[in-house]
Amino acid sequence: MGEERMMKAGRIVQNAYVVRDLDAACAQWHRMTGIGPFVGGVEVVLDQHRYRGRPADPIRLRGVFVQSGGLNIELIQLLSDGPCAFRDMFPGEAEGLHHSAMFCDDYAAERDRWSAAGYPVVSEFTTGFGVSICYIDTRPLFGHFLELYPEDPIIRGMYRQTVEEAEGWEGKQLIVPWR
């Protein structure tokens, strides 16, 4: 199956996990599964955050992408304390599977479709490069949240870099920066 088919809009492209210590989690995931390298690792601020429809403090986190076959895996260490979809799923120090992610040909229509079906938007924010993303509470359906991405060349580029880094990885540097 080609990369283009795997990354078509409307398909699950990622599973993401909340972890307490990003560096330790990367080492453990690599030790136990052999996957790597992990791409990213710097602190990110997600601005213009709306939590359950109301303005909320920005979300601060550190995260990485890593490729495992055809699946992208994201590990997220939450750095902020305010209400958000991450805290709804894992209050306190809990960690585990938080969400699956998919691209949308029409982000607003897809977000509204999920909402109309009874799955509310919990957190919606703008990335540092100006793209809106949201987390939908699909716990009654999937047992975890769903993240919706609009079609965006920067996000697609992040996925592409993760695939490329995994293909050429020689095991030297566990966490590599975004290009």
Side-chain angles (χ1 to χ4, degrees), residues 46-59 82-85 120-126:
L46 306 173
D47 284 319
Q48 299 174 24
H49 178 213
R50 294 189 65 78
Y51 174 73
R52 299 192 177 272
R54 298 185 151 183
D57 290 338
I59 300 170
C84 65
V121 174
V122 176
S123 282
E124 187 168 27
F125 52 84
T126 302

Coordinates of all heavy atoms in Angstrom, one line a residue, residues 46-59 82-85 120-126:
L46 N 0.1 25.7 22.1 CA -1.1 25.7 21.2 C -2.0 26.8 21.7 O -2.7 26.7 22.7 CB -1.8 24.3 21.4 CG -0.9 23.1 21.0 CD1 -1.6 21.8 21.3 CD2 -0.4 23.2 19.6
D47 N -2.0 27.9 20.9 CA -2.7 29.1 21.2 C -4.2 29.1 20.8 O -4.6 28.2 20.1 CB -2.1 30.3 20.6 CG -0.8 30.7 21.3 OD1 -0.8 30.7 22.6 OD2 0.2 31.0 20.6
Q48 N -4.9 30.2 21.2 CA -6.3 30.4 20.8 C -7.1 29.1 21.2 O -7.9 28.6 20.4 CB -6.5 30.7 19.3 CG -5.8 32.0 19.0 CD -5.8 32.3 17.5 OE1 -6.6 31.8 16.8 NE2 -4.8 33.1 17.1
H49 N -6.8 28.6 22.3 CA -7.4 27.3 22.8 C -8.8 27.6 23.2 O -9.1 28.6 24.0 CB -6.6 26.8 24.0 CG -7.2 25.5 24.6 ND1 -7.0 25.3 25.9 CD2 -7.9 24.5 24.1 CE1 -7.6 24.1 26.2 NE2 -8.1 23.6 25.1
R50 N -9.8 26.8 22.8 CA -11.1 26.8 23.2 C -11.4 25.4 23.8 O -11.2 24.4 23.2 CB -12.1 27.1 22.1 CG -11.9 28.5 21.5 CD -13.0 28.9 20.6 NE -14.3 29.0 21.1 CZ -14.8 30.0 21.9 NH1 -14.0 31.0 22.2 NH2 -16.0 30.0 22.3
Y51 N -11.8 25.5 25.1 CA -12.1 24.3 25.8 C -13.6 24.2 26.0 O -14.2 25.1 26.7 CB -11.4 24.2 27.2 CG -11.8 23.1 28.1 CD1 -11.3 21.8 27.8 CD2 -12.6 23.2 29.2 CE1 -11.6 20.7 28.6 CE2 -12.9 22.2 30.0 CZ -12.4 20.9 29.7 OH -12.8 19.8 30.5
R52 N -14.2 23.2 25.4 CA -15.7 23.0 25.5 C -16.4 24.3 25.1 O -17.4 24.7 25.8 CB -16.1 22.5 26.9 CG -15.5 21.1 27.1 CD -16.1 20.4 28.3 NE -15.5 19.1 28.5 CZ -15.9 18.0 27.9 NH1 -16.9 18.0 27.1 NH2 -15.2 16.8 28.1
G53 N -15.9 24.9 24.0 CA -16.6 26.1 23.5 C -16.2 27.4 24.1 O -16.7 28.5 23.7
R54 N -15.4 27.4 25.1 CA -15.0 28.7 25.8 C -13.5 29.0 25.7 O -12.7 28.0 25.7 CB -15.4 28.6 27.3 CG -16.9 28.4 27.5 CD -17.2 28.5 28.9 NE -18.6 29.0 29.0 CZ -19.2 29.2 30.1 NH1 -18.6 29.0 31.3 NH2 -20.5 29.7 30.1
P55 N -13.1 30.2 25.7 CA -11.7 30.5 25.7 C -11.0 29.9 26.9 O -11.6 29.9 28.0 CB -11.7 32.1 25.8 CG -13.0 32.5 25.3 CD -14.0 31.4 25.7
A56 N -9.8 29.4 26.7 CA -9.0 28.7 27.7 C -7.6 29.1 27.6 O -7.1 29.6 26.5 CB -9.3 27.2 27.7
D57 N -6.8 28.8 28.6 CA -5.4 29.0 28.5 C -4.7 28.2 27.4 O -5.2 27.1 27.2 CB -4.7 28.7 29.9 CG -5.1 29.6 31.0 OD1 -5.4 30.8 30.7 OD2 -4.9 29.2 32.2
P58 N -3.6 28.6 26.9 CA -3.0 27.8 25.8 C -2.5 26.5 26.4 O -2.3 26.4 27.7 CB -1.7 28.7 25.5 CG -2.1 30.1 25.8 CD -3.0 29.9 27.0
I59 N -2.3 25.5 25.6 CA -1.8 24.2 26.0 C -0.3 24.2 25.7 O 0.1 24.5 24.6 CB -2.5 23.1 25.2 CG1 -4.0 23.1 25.4 CG2 -1.9 21.7 25.6 CD1 -4.8 22.2 24.5
G82 N -3.9 23.7 32.8 CA -5.3 24.1 32.6 C -6.1 23.0 32.0 O -5.7 22.0 31.6
P83 N -7.4 23.2 32.0 CA -8.4 22.3 31.4 C -8.1 22.1 29.9 O -7.9 23.1 29.2 CB -9.7 22.8 31.7 CG -9.5 24.3 32.0 CD -8.1 24.4 32.5
C84 N -8.2 20.9 29.5 CA -8.0 20.6 28.0 C -8.4 19.1 27.8 O -8.6 18.4 28.8 CB -6.6 20.8 27.6 SG -5.3 19.7 28.4
A85 N -8.4 18.7 26.6 CA -8.8 17.3 26.2 C -7.8 16.3 26.9 O -8.2 15.2 27.3 CB -8.8 17.1 24.7
P120 N -18.9 15.8 21.2 CA -18.5 17.2 21.3 C -17.0 17.5 21.1 O -16.2 16.6 21.4 CB -18.9 17.6 22.7 CG -18.8 16.3 23.5 CD -19.2 15.2 22.5
V121 N -16.7 18.7 20.6 CA -15.4 19.2 20.5 C -15.0 19.6 21.9 O -15.7 20.4 22.6 CB -15.3 20.4 19.6 CG1 -13.9 21.0 19.6 CG2 -15.7 20.0 18.1
V122 N -13.9 19.0 22.4 CA -13.4 19.4 23.8 C -12.4 20.5 23.7 O -12.5 21.4 24.4 CB -12.9 18.1 24.5 CG1 -12.3 18.5 25.9 CG2 -14.0 17.1 24.6
S123 N -11.4 20.3 22.9 CA -10.3 21.3 22.8 C -10.1 21.6 21.3 O -10.0 20.7 20.5 CB -9.0 20.8 23.3 OG -8.9 20.9 24.7
E124 N -10.1 22.9 21.0 CA -9.8 23.3 19.6 C -8.8 24.5 19.8 O -8.9 25.3 20.7 CB -11.0 23.8 18.8 CG -10.7 24.1 17.4 CD -12.0 24.2 16.6 OE1 -13.0 24.6 17.1 OE2 -11.9 24.0 15.3
F125 N -7.7 24.5 18.9 CA -6.7 25.5 19.1 C -6.0 25.8 17.8 O -6.3 25.1 16.8 CB -5.6 25.0 20.1 CG -5.1 23.6 19.8 CD1 -4.1 23.5 18.9 CD2 -5.7 22.5 20.4 CE1 -3.6 22.2 18.6 CE2 -5.2 21.2 20.1 CZ -4.2 21.1 19.2
T126 N -5.1 26.7 17.8 CA -4.4 27.1 16.6 C -2.9 26.7 16.8 O -2.4 27.1 17.9 CB -4.5 28.6 16.3 OG1 -5.9 28.8 16.1 CG2 -3.8 28.9 15.0

